[in-house]
Amino acid sequence: MPDQLLELPLGLRLWPQNTGDEPFRFVEGYTLSPLENTTDSYRFSIMVNAGKFPQVLAALAPKLPDETFFILEFYQDDQPADPAQNPTPKIYYSPYLPTAEILETIEPFLPRLVHDGFVGFGLANNREGVELFYSEEKVLTCFTGNHLRVTDLLAHMQIPNRADLQFPTDTGHDHLSLLCHQRKSLPEPFCSMTETELDYTSFCDDLTELLDMYPVEDDFSFFLSKKEQDQIEARLAEHPEYAEFADDDFGGLLLDWNDFVDECAAGFQGDLWEYHQGLKLRDLIEFVIVGVPQPLGSKINEIVSETDQKLQQNLVDRRKRLDPPCDGLPIREDRFWYQGIVCNQGVPLRRDLIRQGWFNR
């Protein structure tokens, strides 16, 4: 018996194929491969019927950690139009919340999230190295270190592994919002909704408010597996000052370092003590880099390399140091972040630098 063709979401419309071309046949299934730049995690790419997605999410939910954060991607109307570049979606994260609470909150929105072609969403826990994401291309991606659990679950749902699985990205297609369809042609629950309820910018704004979400940049992305996080935790526990951060998501500390450098580039508005706190964060990261097994140290170094370079380009007076030797301790010449000071100094930082004689050296 031939496989039943996939029920695509309303937000995807395939382009007509040329006469004589091999027809694309979208069917349910998944592919599995090692996740790039990790040694113990895997990537699942899953195609399921749009109407079956809630069932798949409900089956996967018990396998998620007790706490996760919600991810939401959507295009916003106020994005500047640049004909030379394709528009990119805005990404929002919620704080870590009970997974059951997130699922309960998004449940009334789930059909719209699944079917709208301008929306992607998911759940993740960085500390546990787990992520589920249903993209705007309507492919469900799963990152996990326990691939056997997921393959067993998919087998019970009769979703087979297919090496030749085809995805919407393999052929031309358009993305449509729910407002692109005539109301009378929409199935329930959409045909009885108002235009505001069907407008993805409106219901996505509602979700960001309900879950207290905040925007994040997509140019600083990485993945740390649970095994890598465990190695980092063991390393931080060795240091009396850093042990309090051992249980934290190390990815959050990397993001904090990136945010600090961005703030420095825009104009650092804190005082000298706050500036030192940012530099101490980089000390912590360096402590991890030199003390964890390779290739994890190299991986972390690569993650922060662009951020480090951005700070270096913003430093002036680099013949001076913020960490002069004391009590006979040597100057840490390898730590560039203590060499010089950021050029974009706000009033509090410049005032403190003047008071300590920085400009008189």
Side-chain angles (χ1 to χ4, degrees):
M1 181 176 177
D3 294 314
Q4 185 176 358
L5 294 181
L6 197 72
E7 170 206 341
L8 291 173
L10 297 169
L12 286 185
R13 182 173 61 193
L14 303 181
W15 293 355
Q17 291 187 258
N18 297 323
T19 304
D21 287 351
E22 184 72 22
F24 275 85
R25 298 183 69 259
F26 295 109
V27 295
E28 284 196 332
Y30 73 90
T31 62
L32 171 63
S33 60
L35 187 59
E36 301 88 343
N37 205 20
T38 67
T39 58
D40 62 323
S41 293
Y42 297 84
R43 177 199 299 269
F44 288 82
S45 297
I46 308 166
M47 292 287 289
V48 296
N49 285 316
K52 191 176 181 179
F53 179 86
Q55 178 187 351
V56 174
L57 180 61
L60 288 169
K63 314 300 182 184
L64 294 170
D66 291 338
E67 287 195 342
T68 53
F69 61 91
F70 187 63
I71 308 168
L72 185 62
E73 291 187 4
F74 63 100
Y75 294 83
Q76 294 182 310
D77 292 335
D78 58 356
Q79 288 181 297
D82 184 351
Q85 294 183 343
N86 291 326
T88 56
K90 193 72 175 179
I91 304 172
Y92 286 82
Y93 286 175
S94 79
Y96 276 93
L97 297 167
T99 302
E101 179 182 328
I102 294 176
L103 293 173
E104 181 180 354
T105 301
I106 70 172
E107 195 268 338
F109 299 87
L110 194 55
R112 287 172 284 177
L113 292 170
V114 169
H115 280 278
D116 198 290
F118 288 99
V119 179
F121 66 100
L123 298 98
N125 182 305
N126 290 336
R127 179 61 185 84
E128 297 299 318
V130 174
E131 180 177 314
L132 292 176
F133 189 75
Y134 193 59
S135 70
E136 64 185 82
E137 303 292 348
K138 305 312 175 185
V139 177
L140 176 61
T141 302
C142 174
F143 298 162
T144 179
N146 193 339
H147 64 293
L148 296 178
R149 177 187 294 179
V150 178
T151 54
D152 182 63
L153 183 148
L154 294 174
H156 277 84
M157 300 189 71
Q158 298 183 325
I159 300 174
N161 180 228
R162 301 179 187 269
D164 58 349
L165 189 65
Q166 293 180 326
F167 299 97
T169 49
D170 294 328
T171 186
H173 61 278
D174 293 318
H175 291 255
L176 304 175
S177 78
L178 292 172
L179 289 177
C180 291
H181 299 271
Q182 291 186 352
R183 183 69 58 81
K184 61 183 180 182
S185 71
L186 289 172
E188 286 291 358
F190 308 122
C191 65
S192 58
M193 291 183 177
T194 66
E195 283 200 4
T196 300
E197 290 173 319
L198 289 175
D199 183 355
Y200 72 89
T201 59
S202 178
F203 69 74
C204 285
D205 284 342
D206 290 342
L207 265 176
T208 59
E209 184 174 348
L210 285 170
L211 293 173
D212 196 23
M213 304 183 78
Y214 54 92
V216 296
E217 298 296 330
D218 64 349
D219 57 353
F220 189 67
S221 59
F222 52 87
F223 181 85
L224 296 171
S225 70
K226 185 179 187 305
K227 178 181 177 181
E228 290 170 335
Q229 293 267 15
D230 289 343
Q231 291 173 342
I232 292 167
E233 178 180 343
R235 172 61 173 169
L236 289 174
E238 298 173 2
H239 194 290
E241 292 183 25
Y242 302 153
E244 64 179 290
F245 300 102
D247 292 336
D248 292 351
D249 167 23
F250 187 69
L253 299 177
L254 296 178
L255 287 169
D256 288 344
W257 170 244
N258 188 67
D259 289 344
F260 169 76
V261 172
D262 283 344
E263 184 181 358
C264 289
F268 190 77
Q269 298 304 312
D271 58 21
L272 185 56
W273 182 85
E274 292 169 307
Y275 184 77
H276 269 290
Q277 296 307 112
L279 302 186
K280 288 181 178 180
L281 179 58
R282 187 59 181 83
D283 289 343
L284 179 153
I285 295 170
E286 189 67 18
F287 178 78
V288 171
I289 288 174
V290 300
V292 295
Q294 296 298 329
L296 178 55
S298 297
K299 177 178 178 177
I300 298 171
N301 195 54
E302 183 178 348
I303 290 171
V304 299
S305 61
E306 189 172 335
T307 302
D308 287 352
Q309 185 179 14
K310 186 175 182 179
L311 180 65
Q312 285 180 292
Q313 293 171 345
N314 193 30
L315 294 174
V316 293
D317 294 339
R318 297 189 63 179
R319 289 179 295 178
K320 305 176 186 178
R321 299 189 63 93
L322 281 173
D323 60 340
C326 58
D327 299 328
L329 296 176
I331 295 177
R332 294 169 287 182
E333 294 181 357
D334 58 319
R335 302 194 173 185
F336 73 86
W337 48 96
Y338 284 102
Q339 298 171 345
I341 192 68
V342 290
C343 59
N344 298 324
Q345 305 154 16
V347 172
L349 177 58
R350 187 168 182 83
R351 177 200 61 208
D352 288 351
L353 290 171
I354 291 172
R355 288 175 175 173
Q356 75 154 22
W358 173 266
F359 298 104
N360 297 327
R361 297 181 194 171

